[in-house]
Amino acid sequence: MITSLKPGEVFVFGSNLAGRHGGGAARQAHADFGAEYGIGEGLTGQCYAFPTLGHRLEQLPWRTLQTARDNLYSACRQHQDKTFLLTKVGCGIAGYPESDMAALFADPPPNFDSAGGMEWRLKPSGLTRSL
């Protein structure tokens, strides 16, 4: 679990498109790292809101998650001076299996790290399960 951030680190948390950061890592993002209510996707405070739920807290379609992943990777490439720390997005309220979320984040940019809670870790060729 991430409890503090160094300068240049970005807390990537699972959000809903309405930007209501009421539980789990989203609540922590708001309380500890400056995520603003009403921002459901993108950079906010020292965070990146990654949407896994819609405006009415419904599970987002897989294609929408892929687009959100592409947007996140684009932000990583635009801010190469920052390290994006991925939390366990999509595996709580959104209900996606962890293996599916791991597959979603294949081929990450070099400044993207899963040290924030997933059971898998990034490698240059993508993601692998940690033992």
Side-chain angles (χ1 to χ4, degrees), residues 53-123:
L53 296 170
H55 286 92
R56 295 183 179 161
L57 305 183
E58 74 280 7
Q59 190 179 59
L60 291 175
W62 190 250
R63 181 66 195 124
T64 303
L65 292 181
Q66 291 172 322
T67 299
R69 185 257 341 263
D70 293 346
N71 293 341
L72 170 58
Y73 283 6
S74 178
C76 290
R77 287 188 294 274
Q78 291 172 11
H79 300 278
Q80 293 182 15
D81 59 321
K82 299 185 184 309
T83 301
F84 289 74
L85 304 174
L86 181 67
T87 64
K88 199 171 185 174
V89 300
C91 301
I93 296 169
Y96 288 100
E98 194 170 306
S99 59
D100 289 353
M101 296 309 294
L104 179 67
F105 293 103
D107 299 318
N111 59 332
F112 187 75
D113 187 6
S114 67
M118 288 295 208
E119 291 294 320
W120 36 263
R121 296 290 177 251
L122 299 171
K123 292 198 171 187

Side-chain angles (χ1 to χ4, degrees), residues 2-12 32-33 45-47 83 85:
I2 297 170
T3 57
S4 64
L5 294 173
K6 297 175 186 170
E9 290 182 332
V10 177
F11 184 80
V12 180
D32 297 342
F33 307 126
Q46 198 173 350
C47 305
T83 301
L85 304 174

